């Protein structure tokens, strides 16, 4: 409850997704009073990451949410004669068509628990093989993580906070991450952090490669960080630039995507991207290497040579590539693995623009354009929440808002009423689309995203190095369907247990998620069976567990589509289907400029050494020796500081 806290703010954010977290951080940094509330018990909403048992609990929560409708009429008593209310939705309808399948061996016992769990929370899951999976899920534990907002001088136990503390070095980790930092569950949190919980030691052994059971997955559930939305960060994208500019990068660590893959003629192969990759490639002939380098060089400078492509502006990028001196092999690589555009709908200019963006991001932090945050995409909203809290923002999870209170005369929102009937007054209100009622959204037409999350026992492309992070695009096969993006994460990303891979599949929906994605899953993986487990010659990696679901995509909805929204209520969208996070950053910056038009967007916090207290002239001159940069002795030698990237080599 907020009964003992201030009830007047400049900005009230309802929902803790990535755009809302960025806006809240920017407003708090500019000195505004910010309150951030969410009915959920974890940070991130549909941008969140979960441990395995946390994901099972999330699934059950959505099932119960669909079955039970709760009505709270307390807010109606608070509406005055000169006011009217806009009710908010108490039911989240952004997730649909959830299907779960367990293929791993069902050697379950009722006493199987997640190692290091702090608190029990029942969950359920359906199984493709046996009802015993549901029994195991009932015994799985849901740890309670503390709020990752404390900025004390002592180190926060890593298993209690998804975000590294302020002492952590922001870095891109090229080496396999060490197991010293345990991850918490599901970004679940309470308002007051507890920093004295002992760390859970890693006494587990790597599971045998040919025998990974469901009980092992349950027991090692805290090793998993399963993202609801699958994205990567372009090394020169808007989010990386914002993380560096605001110094929020110090709260997170990143790992390079090591491979760009292609799926062609039924096989997976690695795509050469950088200059070094092209010339070292054994897949390409010398003639193809020269062709590819010449074309890629043109793409970087295509805007300076409009005559080269102006005649093809009305055609697809695929047709344009056929007019260039590129073999079918090279055309496929450029279209599906570098530009990653649609074969039938992307125009020439869009394809050239996407190719240029890809190439410009090469070499900043590695041989591919992409980074992935250790412990999952759900780290990013938390990082900005921490920045907001450092500058005075207040967070209340498990705290729902019942309605918006609108002044009839001015037609502006003046307050919200929470679950306790308490009125919270503010000048500006930021709300996520999913909280708006059906009446408000009656004219809105939503798209859907098809998602699949897989746990497998091997990589789609085996190499000598097992710690590979890969992205693969599988082209659409049928008219009306969409290309499927596959991101494969190894255990060094801190998203899965050793001996397994976590695989995310994403595409725009044409049917249910399972109907859209199952065919791709069957091409790349084979379901685990006891017979297959004994066969060392299995070519495809084995599928141990699978989750399919559809997620609402509200990213392209115009404000005009919503009914009767007050001008000081700003709507943020949920995750979009794109690979990067540019849409969320653009949205956040646009709304921030409307709320604080003359303020800088997320400037870096002041250096403590530069702060001069009133009347303390002794701090105005600081000896040069006292301002030498601190170094982190625990930073791996292979790490690259995010704010000082290596420039691409010529």
């Amino acid at each position: 409850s907020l009964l003992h806290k201030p009830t007047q703010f400049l900005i009230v954010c309802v929902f803790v997704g990535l755009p809302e977290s960025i806006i809240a951080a920017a407003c708090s940094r500019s000195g505004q009073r910010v309150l951030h509330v969410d009915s959920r018990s974890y940070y991130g909403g549909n941008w969140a990451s979960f441990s395995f048992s946390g994901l099972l609990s999330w699934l059950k929560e959505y099932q119960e949410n669909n079955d039970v409708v709760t009505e709270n009429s307390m807010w109606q008593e608070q509406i005055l004669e000169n006011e009217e209310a806009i009710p908010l939705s108490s039911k989240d309808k952004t997730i649909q068509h959830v299907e779960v399948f367990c293929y791993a061996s069902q050697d379950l016992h009722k006493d199987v628990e997640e190692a290091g769990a702090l608190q029990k929370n029942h969950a359920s899951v359906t199984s493709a093989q046996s009802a015993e999976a549901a029994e195991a899920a009932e015994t799985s534990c849901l740890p309670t993580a503390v709020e990752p907002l404390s900025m004390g001088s002592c180190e926060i136990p890593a298993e209690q906070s998804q975000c590294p503390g302020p002492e952590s070095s922001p870095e891109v980790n090229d080496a396999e991450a060490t197991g010293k930092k345990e991850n918490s569950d599901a970004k679940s949190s309470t308002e007051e952090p507890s920093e004295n919980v002992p760390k859970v030691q890693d006494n587990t052994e790597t599971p045998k490669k040919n025998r990974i059971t469901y009980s092992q997955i349950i027991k090692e559930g805290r090793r998993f960080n399963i993202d609801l939305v699958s994205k990567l960060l372009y090394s020169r994208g808007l989010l990386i630039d914002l993380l560096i500019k605001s110094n929020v990068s110090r709260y997170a660590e990143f790992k390079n995507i090591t491979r760009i893959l292609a799926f062609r003629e039924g096989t997976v192969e690695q795509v050469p991207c950088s200059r070094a990759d092209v010339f070292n490639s054994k897949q390409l002939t010398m003639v193809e290497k020269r062709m590819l380098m010449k074309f890629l060089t043109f793409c970087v400078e295509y805007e300076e040579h409009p005559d080269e492509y102006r005649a093809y502006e009305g055609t697809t990028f695929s047709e344009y590539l056929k007019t260039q001196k590129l073999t079918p092999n090279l055309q496929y690589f450029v279209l599906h693995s570098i530009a990653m555009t649609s074969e039938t709908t992307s125009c020439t200019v869009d394809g050239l623009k996407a190719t240029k963006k890809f190439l410009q991001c090469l070499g900043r932090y590695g041989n591919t354009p992409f980074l992935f945050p250790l412990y999952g995409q759900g780290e990013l909203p938390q990082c900005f929440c921490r920045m907001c809290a450092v500058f005075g923002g207040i967070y209340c999870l498990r705290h729902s808002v019942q309605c918006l209170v609108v002044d009839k005369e001015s037609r502006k929102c003046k307050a919200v009423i929470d679950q306790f009937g308490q009125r919270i007054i503010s000048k500006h209100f930021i709300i996520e689309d999913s909280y708006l009622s059906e009446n408000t959204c009656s004219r809105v037409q939503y798209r859907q995203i098809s998602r699949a999350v897989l746990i497998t026992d091997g990589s789609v492309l085996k190499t000598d190095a097992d710690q590979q992070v890969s992205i693969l695009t599988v082209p659409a096969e049928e008219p009306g369907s969409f290309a499927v993006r596959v991101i494969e994460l190894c255990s060094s990303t801190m998203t899965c247990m050793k001996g397994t891979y976590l695989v995310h599949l994403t595409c725009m929906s044409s049917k249910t998620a399972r109907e859209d994605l199952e065919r791709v899953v069957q091409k790349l993986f084979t379901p685990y069976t006891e017979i297959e487990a004994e066969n060392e010659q299995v070519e495809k990696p084995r599928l141990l567990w699978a989750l399919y679901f559809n997620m609402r995509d509200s990213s392209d909805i115009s404000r005009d589509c919503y009914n009767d929204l007050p001008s000081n209520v700003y709507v943020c969208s949920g995750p979009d289907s794109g690979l990067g996070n540019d849409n969320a950053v653009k949205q956040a910056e646009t709304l921030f400029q409307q709320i604080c038009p003359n303020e800088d967007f997320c400037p870096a916090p002041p250096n403590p050494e530069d702060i001069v207290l009133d009347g303390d002239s002794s701090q105005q001159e600081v000896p040069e020796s006292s301002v030498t940069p601190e170094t982190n002795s625990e930073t791996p030698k292979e790490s690259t500081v995010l704010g000082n990237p290596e420039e691409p080599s010529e």
Side-chain angles (χ1 to χ4, degrees):
S1 174
L2 290 169
L3 294 177
H4 301 293
K5 295 181 181 179
T7 56
Q8 290 192 354
F9 300 86
L10 182 73
I11 298 103
V12 170
C13 292
V14 182
F15 191 76
V16 194
L18 181 58
E20 297 86 354
S21 300
I22 295 174
I23 296 171
C27 292
S28 182
R29 174 67 183 89
S30 65
Q32 314 301 335
R33 291 177 57 82
V34 177
L35 170 67
H36 216 148
V37 297
D38 198 334
S39 60
R40 296 168 175 83
S41 60
Y42 53 87
Y43 289 93
N46 285 350
W47 301 81
S49 303
F50 294 91
S51 73
F52 189 75
S53 67
L55 185 66
L56 299 184
S57 295
W58 176 81
L59 293 172
K60 184 179 181 182
E61 185 179 307
Y62 267 93
Q63 182 180 355
E64 293 174 345
N65 190 30
N66 289 330
D67 294 341
V68 179
V69 178
T70 58
E71 292 292 340
N72 186 344
S73 59
M74 187 183 299
W75 59 269
Q76 297 176 358
E77 303 170 2
Q78 305 292 325
I79 305 302
L80 306 178
E81 288 185 6
N82 63 337
E83 299 171 343
E84 63 182 48
I86 300 179
L88 299 180
S89 176
S90 60
K91 193 172 181 180
D92 190 346
K93 298 182 179 180
T94 59
I95 305 295
Q96 296 178 325
H97 309 301
V98 178
E99 299 181 74
V100 182
F101 301 92
C102 181
Y103 302 96
S105 177
Q106 303 286 319
D107 63 336
L108 297 172
H109 305 284
K110 290 187 177 181
D111 59 347
V112 174
E113 289 189 353
E114 183 179 74
L118 303 180
Q119 163 184 322
K120 287 196 174 183
N121 191 330
H122 295 299
S124 64
V125 62
T126 58
S127 170
Q129 294 185 348
S130 170
E132 288 178 285
E135 296 178 11
E138 289 292 328
T139 62
S140 64
C141 302
L142 177 60
T144 300
V146 301
E147 188 174 17
L149 300 177
S150 173
M151 294 296 294
S153 59
C154 58
E155 183 179 353
I156 299 175
E159 67 270 27
Q160 297 304 311
S161 172
Q162 286 283 342
C163 292
E167 299 82 15
S168 300
S169 173
E171 60 187 31
V172 180
N173 195 343
D174 289 323
E176 178 177 354
T178 60
K180 65 182 179 180
K181 177 179 174 183
E182 291 288 342
N183 181 31
S184 71
D185 191 313
K187 314 299 189 277
S188 169
S189 95
T190 59
E191 275 67 46
E192 294 298 327
S194 172
E195 300 184 352
N196 298 318
V197 181
K199 295 185 179 181
V200 179
Q201 294 184 354
D202 178 12
N203 295 323
T204 59
E205 297 180 359
T206 303
K208 293 182 180 179
K209 184 172 181 58
N210 293 329
R211 175 89 172 152
I212 297 176
T213 63
Y214 187 68
S215 63
Q216 282 179 301
I217 295 175
I218 290 289
K219 189 176 293 186
E220 293 291 306
R222 285 169 61 82
R223 301 287 183 187
F224 289 89
N225 283 289
I226 301 172
D227 294 325
L228 294 184
V229 58
S230 177
K231 290 180 175 291
L232 300 176
L233 285 77
Y234 281 91
S235 65
R236 295 186 189 275
L238 295 180
L239 185 54
I240 287 290
D241 291 343
L242 181 62
L243 288 167
I244 295 171
K245 172 188 174 183
S246 63
N247 206 20
V248 171
S249 58
R250 62 181 173 162
Y251 300 137
E253 296 175 271
F254 301 87
K255 188 173 179 66
N256 291 308
I257 303 304
T258 57
R259 301 185 301 187
I260 310 293
L261 304 179
F263 184 79
R264 189 161 181 255
E265 297 177 353
T267 60
V268 178
E269 52 188 303
Q270 187 165 347
V271 177
C273 310
S274 66
R275 182 186 297 269
D277 289 342
V278 170
F279 285 105
N280 291 330
S281 173
K282 297 180 180 179
Q283 304 165 250
L284 306 178
T285 65
M286 286 302 299
V287 174
E288 284 182 316
K289 292 177 181 180
R290 286 194 290 269
M291 287 180 178
L292 182 59
M293 286 306 304
K294 183 177 180 180
F295 180 74
L296 295 182
T297 301
F298 160 72
C299 288
V300 173
E301 305 170 345
Y302 81 93
E303 292 166 310
E304 300 174 13
H305 307 282
D307 295 339
E308 296 287 334
Y309 64 88
R310 183 171 293 159
Y312 304 97
E313 287 182 345
T315 65
T316 64
F317 188 50
S318 176
E319 291 296 324
Y320 171 73
L321 291 176
K322 293 175 183 177
T323 67
Q324 303 302 298
K325 295 180 179 180
L326 298 172
T327 64
N329 192 32
L330 295 179
Q331 292 175 34
Y332 189 93
F333 284 166
V334 171
L335 181 65
H336 297 295
S337 299
I338 296 178
M340 289 183 278
T341 56
S342 169
E343 190 169 350
T344 57
T345 61
S346 294
C347 68
T348 297
V349 175
D350 288 344
L352 291 172
K353 185 177 180 180
T355 304
K356 178 180 179 179
K357 181 178 181 179
F358 182 100
L359 296 172
Q360 285 182 324
C361 293
L362 284 174
R364 191 178 193 191
Y365 297 111
N367 287 333
T368 71
F370 307 113
L371 297 175
F372 179 79
L374 294 185
Y375 301 93
Q377 172 80 19
E379 287 292 285
L380 301 177
Q382 287 198 84
C383 291
F384 286 98
C385 288
R386 176 170 282 192
M387 176 181 174
C388 177
V390 166
F391 288 96
I394 297 175
Y395 281 80
C396 293
L397 301 183
R398 305 183 187 89
H399 198 102
S400 62
V401 173
Q402 304 298 313
C403 70
L404 305 175
V405 181
V406 180
D407 183 82
K408 288 183 178 180
E409 184 177 350
S410 66
R411 300 305 304 167
K412 287 195 172 185
C413 184
K414 57 195 294 188
V416 295
I417 296 178
D418 67 9
Q419 66 201 55
F420 303 104
Q422 181 180 11
R423 179 177 292 231
I424 304 170
I425 301 170
S426 180
K427 291 184 178 179
H428 303 278
F429 300 85
I430 299 167
I431 188 167
E432 207 260 355
D433 171 272
S434 64
Y435 276 80
L436 298 175
S437 67
E438 291 185 2
N439 289 336
T440 305
C441 302
S442 61
R443 296 184 294 125
V444 177
Q445 296 293 323
Y446 293 108
R447 297 181 301 188
Q448 296 289 324
I449 304 169
S450 290
R451 289 277 292 113
V453 179
L454 315 177
I455 299 175
T456 70
D457 71 345
S459 175
V460 292
L461 182 61
K462 295 181 180 178
T463 60
D464 294 337
D466 62 342
Q467 294 300 310
Q468 299 279 5
V469 186
S470 311
I471 178 172
L472 164 68
T473 302
V474 180
E477 288 188 342
E478 302 174 355
S481 62
F482 299 93
V484 176
R485 182 174 71 244
V486 182
I487 296 177
E488 183 184 72
L489 305 172
C490 60
S491 60
S492 66
T493 62
M494 316 309 285
T495 59
C496 58
M497 60 185 274
K498 292 181 180 179
T500 66
Y501 285 80
L502 187 65
V503 184
H504 292 276
L505 288 81
T506 307
C507 73
M508 293 179 62
S509 300
S510 57
K511 303 174 184 177
T512 68
R514 184 182 173 191
E515 291 172 324
D516 284 337
L517 301 173
E518 191 172 43
R519 184 176 300 179
V520 174
V521 173
Q522 292 171 348
K523 288 180 179 179
L524 297 175
F525 308 98
T526 184
Y528 180 97
T529 65
E530 290 297 329
I531 296 176
E532 292 284 357
E534 304 299 327
N535 181 10
E536 292 285 348
Q537 304 302 319
V538 176
E539 295 183 1
K540 299 178 182 177
R542 289 183 283 258
L543 179 60
L544 304 172
W545 186 86
L547 163 66
Y548 298 91
F549 63 92
N550 289 92
M551 177 184 289
R552 177 189 292 177
D553 180 359
S554 55
S555 60
D556 65 337
I557 305 301
S558 168
R559 179 186 173 84
D560 297 334
C561 294
Y562 300 108
N563 298 325
D564 302 324
L565 273 186
S567 60
N568 62 334
V569 175
Y570 310 90
V571 181
C572 288
S573 72
D576 63 334
S577 60
L579 176 60
N581 296 275
D582 284 5
N583 184 70
V585 178
K586 288 178 181 177
Q587 188 175 173
E589 184 168 9
T590 299
L591 295 184
F592 172 79
Q593 295 299 343
Q594 293 177 23
I595 297 170
C596 306
N598 299 317
E599 298 288 341
D600 189 12
F601 181 58
C602 280
N607 188 331
E609 296 174 347
D610 296 335
I611 298 175
V612 179
L613 302 177
D614 292 340
D616 187 359
S617 59
S618 62
Q619 293 191 16
Q620 294 181 8
E621 296 183 5
V622 183
E624 184 177 349
S625 60
S626 68
V627 296
T628 54
E630 294 183 4
T631 58
N632 188 340
S633 60
E634 296 183 359
T635 302
K637 293 181 180 179
E638 296 85 354
S639 299
T640 304
V641 176
L642 192 59
N644 298 286
E646 296 179 3
E647 292 301 320
S649 57
E650 294 295 331

